[in-house]
Amino acid sequence: MFLNKIKDFWTKRIVKKRLSNVRLINSDSSVQKVGIVFDESYFYEREELLKELIQLGIKNENIQILVFKNTIKKNETFDYPVFSYKNISWTASIDVPEFKDFVNSDFDILISYYDIEKAPLLLTTHLSKASFKVGFASIDKRLHHFMIDTNAENYKAFMSELFKYLKILNKL
């Protein structure tokens, strides 16, 4: 636990240092492929959020998720890609194949669905090659192109605001 706090501190420091060199990617394409990063230690309604996305017109096969959990038990299995503090090195790199596939995917939009800054989640958002990144206003402003000021428990309001502004920006 103590080592995780130190690793978290160093990873946040590395990510925030890298954020000074961020270049914004300008994209006029419409939203087809969506990536979502969840913090499952805080938000448990993953399935409801996915159903909301599908209801709003995104195809299920075009949605890819990556879930962060604080700890993963030894015999625990998942039907979705998961990573944890254990997967992060002291140099802020993650060697999990699912993680690498996720951050190297060219998403039209990345939804960073967490409102508490945790180093692995910040690292995931920063490394992602998504052309448009959306997140909560409580997270570092340099990570996202668009921020919504609400809390993570209110996923319906988040999705409603997101799609309202995506229509205004001609991304739908």
Side-chain angles (χ1 to χ4, degrees):
M1 186 68 177
F2 178 71
L3 288 177
N4 282 345
K5 296 271 186 202
I6 294 172
K7 193 186 293 186
D8 190 56
F9 171 78
W10 282 112
T11 304
K12 273 186 186 177
R13 187 171 174 195
I14 290 169
V15 169
K16 290 192 187 248
K17 187 176 178 182
R18 289 180 188 168
L19 283 175
S20 62
N21 301 333
V22 171
R23 283 183 274 147
L24 293 178
I25 300 169
N26 208 0
S27 172
D28 294 331
S29 65
S30 65
V31 175
Q32 300 294 321
K33 192 171 179 187
V34 177
I36 308 172
V37 180
F38 286 105
D39 181 4
E40 195 170 88
S41 57
Y42 183 66
F43 180 74
Y44 305 106
E45 297 159 343
R46 178 180 49 85
E47 290 298 324
E48 288 82 5
L49 183 69
L50 290 174
K51 287 177 187 172
E52 189 79 19
L53 262 175
I54 293 167
Q55 261 184 336
L56 291 167
I58 305 296
K59 294 179 183 175
N60 191 26
E61 59 269 6
N62 291 339
I63 301 172
Q64 189 175 351
I65 64 167
L66 181 67
V67 177
F68 170 76
K69 287 188 73 156
N70 285 334
T71 57
I72 299 174
K73 296 176 183 162
K74 190 173 184 177
N75 295 327
E76 199 170 12
T77 60
F78 302 98
D79 58 343
Y80 45 87
V82 177
F83 71 107
S84 70
Y85 280 112
K86 187 176 90 171
N87 303 116
I88 299 177
S89 72
W90 288 94
T91 59
S93 64
I94 300 176
D95 290 332
V96 177
E98 295 87 4
F99 177 85
K100 286 185 175 186
D101 291 343
F102 185 84
V103 297
N104 290 325
S105 294
D106 291 323
F107 297 117
D108 296 319
I109 186 169
L110 174 72
I111 301 173
S112 300
Y113 206 83
Y114 55 89
D115 60 356
I116 296 176
E117 284 190 1
K118 291 184 181 177
L121 296 165
L122 297 174
L123 182 65
T124 305
T125 301
H126 174 64
L127 292 176
S128 175
K129 295 192 178 3
S131 59
F132 192 70
K133 298 177 184 178
V134 176
F136 288 92
S138 59
I139 304 300
D140 193 331
K141 312 296 185 236
R142 298 172 291 179
L143 278 173
H144 302 107
H145 299 106
F146 184 72
M147 291 148 295
I148 298 174
D149 190 17
T150 186
N151 56 10
E153 291 87 14
N154 197 354
Y155 68 90
K156 289 189 182 219
F158 180 87
M159 297 309 286
S160 163
E161 288 294 308
L162 173 62
F163 276 82
K164 177 173 81 175
Y165 285 104
L166 285 176
K167 286 177 186 172
I168 290 171
L169 295 170
N170 290 328
K171 294 227 175 251
L172 289 180

